[in-house]
Amino acid sequence: MTTLDQAIELGLNEDEYKETIKYMNRIPNITELGIFSAMWSEHCSYKSSRKWLKTLPTEAPWVIQGPGENAGIIDIGNNLAAVFKMESHNHPSFIEPYQGAATGVGGIMRDVFTMGARPVANLNCLRFGNPLHAKTKHLLSGVVSGIGGYGNCMGVPTIGGECTFDEGYNGNILVNAMTVGIVKKDKIFYAKAGSPGSPVVYVGAKTGRDGIHGASMASASFDADSESKRPTVQVGDPFTEKLLLEACLELMETDCIIGIQDMGAAGLTSSSVEMAAKDNNGIEIDLDKVPVRETEMTPFEIMLSESQERMLMVLKPGSEEKAENIFKKWELDFSIIGEVTSSKHIVLKSNNKTVADIPLEPLANGLIYERPYESNINSNSHDIPVDDNWEDALLKLIGNHDLCSREWIWEQYDHMVMGDTIGMPGSEAGVVKIHNIDKQALAITTDCTPRYCASNAHIGGMQAVCESYRNLCSVGALPLAITDCLNFGNPEKKEVMGQIVDAIRGISDACKKLSMPVVAGNVSLYNETEGKSIPPTPQIGAVGIIKNTDNQLSNKISENNNQDIIVLGSTRGHLQCSIYAKEIAKIEKGCPPNINLDEELQHGKFILDLASLGLIDACKDLSDGGIGIALAELCIMSNIGCEINSPKDNNICEWLFGEDQARYIVITNDSETIINKSKTMNIDANIIGKINGKYFTVDNNKISIEKLANIRNNWFHNYFS
């Protein structure tokens, strides 16, 4: 018999413990209570956010699978589909950065290949504390090493992502991993159980004690004793995962599989419950047949272990031998551990005794809370003091830890493996060719601006989608869909729950307008330490298609012959919530820039139209740091200077560093055609100068590109030296 104290230790509250007794019609034993605690955790059930997630747009003619499966799927033509998702591994990465990040990468790749897709690209979004914080250097080094170590061994290129720093993440870093794969439309696999009598098979690595309580840990706040939770971090083995990938894809070429599910959060518990419940069936498992690597493991430990590189499959009766031969060839465990039943219960046996018997319905449906919330949208403007010293501002910003080159990070990742990468890290979006399809490619990006979200989560949610949209348009890709990873603090606090509601509303508004449905996602809550929540961070991952790579756009200028520089979109000089305000004026108050969704849509389509006509030599969307940073990055990447003239009716720093949205920089040899086309569409487009020389020149004042490059490219090296 279990007690309330045990339930609380497992992460359930008193009311939830009473609910388990009601559903069981008795007091659950410790294994049953552990299963309830995992399936009812925030990490598995989304009990605080599910009501609001249902308001997101999830459908479009090109959507094959929306939220509810291991990953989302969109049609990309030629009988192919893109499979993708983003997941969080925040708490484990803070406790043990190398293994936390590595197993996050491994887990998201399994979500993709369990659906039949071969992974073709990884991305990651990293948020660390203040660079001067005692733990930041250790966490940054460990996380980057873990991502590179696992992804490189798997032979999947890491082609993009983000890394920023803010003291709001001092006690709770964020590690969000995204994977994209490609599958034939007639070879997609789902997590389902089929008919009673079908064999349930365990494949992959053996089960150990690593990762126990992982789901409940991910659903709780950190405290001063968080370091003691180190044993709950999973341990990854990318070489085993590589074998598992190849074995699964080989088996998927046969007709053996009814359903397949990754053993991710809550391990064998969540995979068995979710598969059986999808077909309204039951499942019976003999725990004595589960391959284990440690002695005397209890049913509780076996069911809640989050050991990595494991899959659960339901096979067609009679195909067991064929499937086993494939896994034995790849030197992986293969064990028939049970069967699908008609009981609508999960029944666990050990030593010929029933050790758990739980109805599946409450486990699969979970809990839904309508938590009280308060919107904390900031509508108060705040003056940002400025002067005319743009040179000092540019030098400080280009070397700022949030704007400097990330090459130190991505040079540790293999971004060229598989030979299909044609859009490099450091670009607006990573680009990979669609293998064996001539001149077609996928563009993939991630984005979020927590500064904006902290001030106004509704605008922040919209802006994260809009900037992802612009990133894709900037490389010539038609945006198709997004996955999200919603990172917030404690939802039991009204202000945090208000951030969640407002951010989801903003994401929904932007996705509807831009025709980018949400096809997959993850919610990571309780990201707080000793009562202090992280900045709201609704991370967006977006995928688009380049239908003709001849029209792919680059952020590198290919010609150095006095090409014109055009800013597309209106510049008003919005400095509130900007990186200029934070780093130069030292002010973090005020409102984020306004979002005009109609302009975002129109301007993005216009960029794609110009790309199809071959009118753009280089392109970059404007975001953090505005015109000044975007143009400086273009010049540094291309080792060429620029000569620009500031408008006389704007302060130079407002004009250079303002973060007005829906804007792009375009480098072109045919500005007359672009300006004329923009006028017919009532789009604001202005020539601000030319590409020329070796200096960043504004109104005859100049800084050498070499100096800017040295400052921008050396921050990480200096940080670790």
Side-chain angles (χ1 to χ4, degrees):
M1 294 292 184
T2 54
T3 65
L4 175 59
D5 286 345
Q6 288 175 307
I8 291 172
E9 187 177 343
L10 289 172
L12 296 168
N13 62 37
E14 183 175 357
D15 289 339
E16 290 168 343
Y17 181 55
K18 290 177 180 177
E19 283 290 297
T20 69
I21 296 171
K22 184 183 81 172
Y23 280 116
M24 297 290 290
N25 203 25
R26 60 178 170 81
I27 295 175
N29 63 38
I30 190 62
T31 301
E32 293 165 335
L33 191 64
I35 289 171
F36 270 109
S37 74
M39 294 307 297
W40 284 3
S41 69
E42 198 73 64
H43 194 68
C44 290
S45 73
Y46 296 171
K47 56 192 176 187
S48 297
S49 57
R50 204 171 349 153
K51 170 185 174 180
W52 304 103
L53 295 174
K54 290 179 178 179
T55 66
L56 291 167
T58 59
E59 297 179 349
W62 53 91
V63 173
I64 296 173
Q65 175 64 53
E69 267 289 341
N70 287 292
I73 308 179
I74 56 172
D75 191 331
I76 57 173
N78 299 294
N79 194 40
L80 296 176
V83 181
F84 60 98
K85 188 183 180 184
M86 185 185 291
E87 270 274 11
S88 62
H89 233 221
N90 304 334
H91 283 29
S93 299
F94 182 79
I95 294 171
E96 214 304 299
Y98 184 96
Q99 290 295 349
T103 52
V105 172
I108 194 62
M109 281 196 275
R110 289 196 303 278
D111 280 338
V112 168
F113 74 73
T114 193
M115 303 198 74
R118 180 174 290 279
V120 297
N122 289 331
L123 295 89
N124 50 79
C125 311
L126 312 177
R127 311 284 177 185
F128 294 100
N130 188 310
L132 300 179
H133 187 269
K135 286 188 177 181
T136 298
K137 195 174 292 187
H138 162 69
L139 292 170
L140 171 62
S141 178
V143 164
V144 171
S145 295
I147 291 169
Y150 207 103
N152 294 352
C153 291
M154 283 292 292
V156 178
T158 300
I159 63 169
E162 294 177 272
C163 177
T164 62
F165 301 82
D166 185 273
E167 65 180 14
Y169 303 103
N170 280 352
N172 198 125
I173 65 173
L174 300 185
V175 175
N176 295 173
M178 179 180 177
T179 294
V180 181
I182 293 179
V183 65
K184 292 179 180 178
K185 284 166 58 178
D186 57 355
K187 282 293 185 179
I188 296 170
F189 290 84
Y190 298 96
K192 58 183 182 179
S195 304
S198 301
V200 176
V201 178
Y202 172 118
V203 299
K206 288 179 169 61
T207 294
R209 290 189 170 94
D210 52 321
I212 294 171
H213 300 308
S216 55
M217 179 190 72
S219 307
S221 302
F222 276 154
D223 54 30
D225 298 322
S226 62
E227 290 296 326
S228 67
K229 297 176 182 177
R230 190 178 301 273
T232 64
V233 176
Q234 308 92 325
V235 178
D237 179 358
F239 300 104
T240 298
E241 176 131 334
K242 176 62 174 173
L243 298 177
L244 183 62
L245 163 66
E246 299 301 339
C248 285
L249 293 182
E250 182 175 337
L251 184 61
M252 287 166 173
E253 289 299 317
T254 71
D255 61 351
C256 295
I257 298 175
I258 293 174
I260 182 168
Q261 172 81 26
D262 163 43
M263 290 192 215
L268 185 54
T269 289
S270 61
S271 55
S272 57
V273 166
E274 290 167 7
M275 287 182 78
K278 274 191 179 165
D279 285 325
N280 202 25
N281 284 316
I283 191 166
E284 183 173 304
I285 296 174
D286 184 348
L287 296 178
D288 297 335
K289 295 181 179 178
V290 173
V292 295
R293 65 170 184 261
E294 299 184 46
T295 59
E296 298 182 3
M297 288 190 70
T298 66
F300 177 96
E301 292 172 327
I302 292 171
M303 290 303 294
L304 295 180
S305 166
E306 292 186 10
S307 294
Q308 298 292 286
E309 296 89 38
R310 304 178 300 159
M311 293 279 192
L312 194 66
M313 300 189 299
V314 176
L315 299 180
K316 293 180 180 178
S319 64
E320 296 92 332
E321 185 177 355
K322 181 192 283 188
E324 183 174 12
N325 287 338
I326 290 173
F327 279 86
K328 293 301 181 186
K329 183 185 82 172
W330 289 99
E331 299 181 346
L332 294 166
D333 277 293
F334 177 100
S335 180
I336 300 169
I337 64 171
E339 68 175 20
V340 179
T341 68
S342 59
S343 68
K344 298 185 181 180
H345 280 226
I346 178 171
V347 177
L348 307 177
K349 296 197 171 182
S350 180
N351 296 321
N352 295 316
K353 295 180 181 178
T354 298
V355 294
D357 186 344
I358 311 174
L360 283 170
E361 184 269 333
L363 296 177
N365 291 345
L367 306 172
I368 298 181
Y369 288 154
E370 293 197 26
R371 297 198 187 276
Y373 65 92
E374 290 179 355
S375 291
N376 56 343
I377 291 174
N378 180 15
S379 58
N380 297 320
S381 294
H382 194 91
D383 290 336
I384 307 299
V386 291
D387 55 30
D388 293 330
N389 191 349
W390 67 267
E391 297 98 323
D392 279 358
L394 180 58
L395 291 170
K396 288 177 182 176
L397 290 176
I398 203 71
N400 175 264
H401 46 69
D402 282 350
L403 295 176
C404 66
S405 170
R406 298 304 192 249
E407 187 172 355
W408 178 88
I409 295 176
W410 57 257
E411 69 184 1
Q412 299 184 53
Y413 307 151
D414 190 337
H415 48 274
M416 295 303 294
V417 65
M418 299 177 74
D420 287 328
T421 305
I422 56 173
M424 304 293 288
S427 180
E428 305 308 279
V431 182
V432 288
K433 293 183 295 185
I434 300 174
H435 205 68
N436 293 327
I437 304 296
D438 190 40
K439 292 189 175 182
Q440 291 199 10
L442 290 179
I444 311 154
T445 189
T446 65
D447 233 304
C448 182
T449 309
R451 293 191 313 277
Y452 298 167
C453 300
S455 174
N456 185 321
H458 176 238
I459 288 179
M462 281 198 294
Q463 193 273 342
V465 175
C466 290
E467 190 170 343
S468 299
Y469 173 85
R470 292 198 302 271
N471 289 343
L472 295 176
C473 293
S474 296
V475 297
L478 175 67
L480 291 177
I482 75 161
T483 176
D484 57 39
C485 193
L486 307 179
N487 307 274
F488 293 89
N490 185 346
E492 297 166 45
K493 296 178 178 178
K494 290 182 180 180
E495 66 275 15
V496 172
M497 195 65 221
Q499 292 171 343
I500 296 168
V501 173
D502 289 335
I504 291 174
R505 186 164 55 91
I507 292 169
S508 181
D509 290 344
C511 286
K512 288 174 182 175
K513 173 60 71 173
L514 302 176
S515 296
M516 294 173 71
V518 183
V519 299
N522 172 245
V523 178
S524 175
L525 305 183
Y526 294 96
N527 288 290
E528 70 167 20
T529 297
E530 297 184 18
K532 185 174 181 181
S533 292
I534 61 161
T537 314
Q539 195 71 50
I540 300 297
V543 175
I545 189 165
I546 301 174
K547 295 184 177 179
N548 182 350
T549 52
D550 289 343
N551 299 328
Q552 180 183 346
L553 299 178
S554 171
N555 65 348
K556 208 165 187 177
I557 301 163
S558 64
E559 300 178 36
N560 302 333
N561 57 351
N562 292 314
Q563 295 182 89
D564 285 329
I565 306 166
I566 294 177
V567 172
L568 181 75
S570 300
T571 299
R572 302 174 184 87
H574 187 100
L575 285 180
Q576 295 177 62
C577 286
S578 69
I579 202 158
Y580 178 96
K582 180 181 179 182
E583 299 298 333
I584 305 299
K586 306 298 182 184
I587 293 173
E588 298 187 47
K589 299 177 181 178
C591 304
N594 182 55
I595 303 292
N596 185 320
L597 294 174
D598 291 319
E599 285 187 357
E600 294 282 5
L601 179 64
Q602 183 190 35
H603 296 180
K605 287 182 174 180
F606 187 63
I607 290 291
L608 295 180
D609 181 42
L610 298 180
S612 69
L613 297 172
L615 295 173
I616 298 177
D617 179 51
C619 183
K620 194 168 177 61
D621 88 299
L622 299 189
S623 54
D624 287 347
I627 293 170
I629 293 300
L631 187 54
E633 289 175 348
L634 272 169
C635 291
I636 291 168
M637 291 285 291
S638 311
N639 193 28
I640 183 71
C642 64
E643 297 173 354
I644 59 176
N645 299 303
S646 64
K648 301 308 176 189
D649 54 349
N650 285 81
N651 172 272
I652 181 64
C653 285
E654 289 179 341
W655 180 75
L656 268 181
F657 305 116
E659 296 181 7
D660 306 289
Q661 300 293 292
R663 296 185 301 159
Y664 301 80
I665 279 186
V666 170
I667 310 300
T668 180
N669 272 320
D670 196 348
S671 56
E672 183 178 358
T673 299
I674 293 177
I675 296 297
N676 288 337
K677 285 177 70 70
S678 69
K679 287 178 179 177
T680 65
M681 300 182 68
N682 200 28
I683 294 175
D684 195 358
N686 296 283
I687 301 171
I688 64 167
K690 289 186 176 294
I691 293 297
N692 190 38
K694 293 293 183 182
Y695 292 87
F696 189 101
T697 306
V698 183
D699 301 334
N700 297 318
N701 297 317
K702 59 182 66 175
I703 305 172
S704 77
I705 298 301
E706 182 181 12
K707 182 176 183 178
L708 290 173
N710 286 335
I711 293 171
R712 179 176 184 267
N713 294 339
N714 287 321
W715 186 89
F716 277 91
H717 294 286
N718 293 337
Y719 182 58
F720 282 101
S721 66

